[in-house]
Amino acid sequence: MSVSKEELQEVEIGAATASNVSNNYKPIQCNDYNELNKTDEEALQNFLLDIECLDELSPWTSKLNIFDVLKVSKTEIRHSNMLSWLLNPNENHGLGDLFIKGVVQRIVENDVEGKYNIFQLLLMDFYSFIIYREWKNIDLLLVSEDDRILIAIENKIGSREHSNQLNRYRNILEKEYPEYQRIYIYLTPDGEEPSDVENWSILTYTDIVEVLEATKRKINLLPDVELIIKNYLDTLRRDIVQDERLIEICNKIYQKHKKALDLIYEYRVDGRSQVSECIMKVLKEQAERNELIFDSSICSNSFLRFNTYFMDQYLTPICEKNSSWNTQQIYFYWFDIKEDRFRVVFEVGGLNVPNNQMENMQKIISILKPNDKNKNNFKYKRLFSTKWFKFDDLDNNEEDITEKTILALKDIKKFEEKLSTELINIKRRRSIS
């Protein structure tokens, strides 16, 4: 469907490229840190004198965690194994059917379209479920022969849907279980929308954390089971879902000792620094060509973020530097860099947003996270991420990382083009009604 120039102007976002953006556009300048005026030695000395500030991170760094010891905290297949154990009411965890019942209840609560029969689901015998792992490549399959119900869960951590997976799995289950009520669940960290939105329902790891915490409070567990579940919840909060308290503490420490921490990270010898340097080079080049907005003075090797002309026209900067990031920007794109891969995340901040910008923000949230129940009261909210771009060898791979960075930025352009079209369609439907 073609989109006219007039319609783009109606929604105030337009096809925002360098050709229709003034060359006088200046990036928003963020915090003027006092640290920037200090010598390197003074900055490091002040950081060491205030080293106790790192104590606030001890709840996330000082405790023994079995998932860290085994190095499986971000491995998708291990999370599926853990969920298989927890969801099985006949397992030895002592939770009985409380966790699986809580998950099903959350699925029903998230069902805004009325897909499911509430009474049938919540009154069934959860002990009758048999849990299958990787049955015909389906991550988790829960089958109750007694109630003629199945629940298929496709679990995605660090990867995205591919090869028409969801349609293939649905066709297999329709053929193998024709007389069953079938529930299809797409489980991701951030509530990413499945390709088959009609049949697959969204479940997030935030849902998993909340249900598991609520379940844990209801029962006295054996010490070893309680330790495992506590370790798992800590892992999910730190590595999978967005722990706002952890983000807040890290931002506070970073803003206080930006100069020192940037120096420490800059001279730290590791592959991640190489990756960051390659990405920063691409961002600078594209900013010089007015393809995006990048201010290197507010970034470091550990935190690379940028803005776009497209999104700045819709989520316009605010007057004061009091957004969620203590800047004038109420959104950022930023690179989420791991040891062997990276992706680009689109995130909005909900603090001190004026009504008109908040109204635009709500439209975007409704499109990208239609089942989000916390659309108003939040500090940070991740709404989109690209696929993960993986690199295997950190030696002499600048060309490969540069190429993947450009591909990631192209994905952001495609994302914004799609979002623009959806916003225009909303405008059309409202004008017709």
Side-chain angles (χ1 to χ4, degrees), residues 1 3 8 11 13-15 160-161 192-197 310-311 333 363-364 367-368 384 410-426 429:
M1 178 173 61
V3 177
L8 287 169
V11 292
I13 51 177
R160 303 184 74 177
E161 180 189 350
E192 177 186 327
E193 192 172 83
S195 59
D196 183 4
V197 293
F310 168 87
M311 200 61 73
Y333 291 100
K363 291 177 185 176
I364 293 177
I367 291 171
L368 300 178
F384 171 80
K410 286 182 178 179
D411 281 356
I412 291 300
K413 289 184 178 179
K414 292 177 183 177
F415 157 71
E416 291 187 337
E417 289 170 1
K418 182 179 178 182
L419 178 62
S420 174
T421 301
E422 293 187 19
L423 287 165
I424 289 166
N425 289 337
I426 291 175
R429 288 193 294 269

Side-chain angles (χ1 to χ4, degrees), residues 221-247:
L221 298 170
L222 293 174
D224 52 350
V225 174
E226 185 171 11
L227 176 62
I228 291 174
I229 291 178
K230 187 179 185 306
N231 281 182
Y232 187 56
L233 284 169
D234 289 342
T235 298
L236 291 179
R237 291 193 199 94
R238 187 193 61 205
D239 294 337
I240 307 300
V241 304
Q242 184 175 336
D243 190 329
E244 293 193 1
R245 178 59 180 158
L246 176 59
I247 293 171

